[in-house]
Amino acid sequence: IRVFEQVLEMRPEEPQSYRDLALALSARAENGASEDQAKADYARATALLTEVVMRHWERFDEIEIIALVELNRIIPRARKLGITDIDLDSRLIKPIDCDMRITMTWDADNTDMDLHVVEPSGEEAYYSHNRTMIGGRVSRDFTAGYGPEEYMLRKAMTGTYKVKAKFYGSNSVKLLGGVTVQVNVITHYGRPEERRQSMTLRLTEAKEMFTIG
């Protein structure tokens, strides 16, 4: 959280700065924080994500949609602790739960990474085939850095899902050591039985497809 506070101070023009800090605060609130600490963390997290939802971001159009899903996950938890002062149009407040949600972020600007999910049927979801027969949906492709890119599935088909990343390329000065990709796989997203797993991979070769998990 201290690191993300510093990032936000240095890069307030990027929505990821607000989102990363908000998700870290939310995680602390849910993992052993005192009631007072959790209340403060949720209040700050909702304000930060609301900022992402309501502002226009020049390079990251539609990141507000991803932030809105995450904000609607936090709002019911915040309200249970008595937080009611949420500065968001009531028409945008609607909890979204689903069987599976996968998000991918990476740590290099001006770098294009693509999230691919192969469903049990064999159908592959990615930016140019972003809706599948069983209801999978992939968010907008961010080609200039950081992500997040998101896959959501309301009702999952039984079977194995393969998560892959394509390192499409970078317009940055030569990257030292490659790009670190982080993928979060969350089952029963937004429900009491929610479970999450995080996977991290270091990629060094552009235009290669990597299986993450």
Side-chain angles (χ1 to χ4, degrees), residues 80-212:
K80 283 183 180 179
L81 293 178
I83 299 170
T84 57
D85 186 21
I86 298 170
D87 188 20
L88 188 68
D89 190 311
S90 61
R91 291 172 296 179
L92 297 178
I93 300 177
K94 182 179 181 181
I96 298 173
D97 68 297
C98 61
D99 281 359
M100 184 181 300
R101 181 173 187 258
I102 300 170
T103 59
M104 182 177 78
T105 58
W106 55 98
D107 67 350
D109 197 5
N110 296 311
T111 299
D112 186 5
M113 303 291 306
D114 296 325
L115 173 66
H116 289 241
V117 178
V118 181
E119 298 171 339
S121 65
E123 189 171 7
E124 187 163 349
Y126 58 103
Y127 71 93
S128 65
H129 182 66
N130 64 353
R131 286 173 171 79
T132 67
M133 290 294 290
I134 65 170
R137 179 188 178 277
V138 174
S139 62
R140 185 187 179 109
D141 183 25
F142 288 126
T143 61
Y146 305 132
E149 293 189 7
E150 171 193 66
Y151 168 87
M152 290 187 75
L153 180 59
R154 176 61 63 86
K155 187 172 178 57
M157 178 182 186
T158 300
T160 300
Y161 293 76
K162 183 180 292 186
V163 184
K164 303 192 293 184
K166 184 172 185 181
F167 186 177
Y168 195 79
S170 176
N171 295 321
S172 299
V173 176
K174 184 173 176 60
L175 295 169
L176 297 177
V179 183
T180 299
V181 176
Q182 182 168 29
V183 171
N184 291 305
V185 178
I186 307 166
T187 54
H188 299 290
Y189 182 79
R191 301 170 186 159
E193 65 270 34
E194 180 181 288
R195 295 290 181 270
R196 64 179 61 220
Q197 180 179 358
S198 296
M199 298 173 285
T200 304
L201 190 65
R202 192 75 172 166
L203 306 183
T204 57
E205 303 171 58
K207 303 187 185 300
E208 291 290 336
M209 184 76 79
F210 297 84
T211 296
I212 295 178

Side-chain angles (χ1 to χ4, degrees), residues 69-85:
V69 171
E70 293 163 339
L71 178 56
N72 271 297
R73 176 188 174 277
I74 293 172
I75 286 174
R77 292 164 168 79
R79 283 177 168 169
K80 283 183 180 179
L81 293 178
I83 299 170
T84 57
D85 186 21

Side-chain angles (χ1 to χ4, degrees), residues 12 15 18 45-57 71:
Y18 300 82
T46 56
L48 289 164
L49 287 174
T50 298
E51 182 84 1
V52 178
V53 171
M54 298 309 299
R55 276 178 61 178
H56 172 68
W57 306 98
L71 178 56

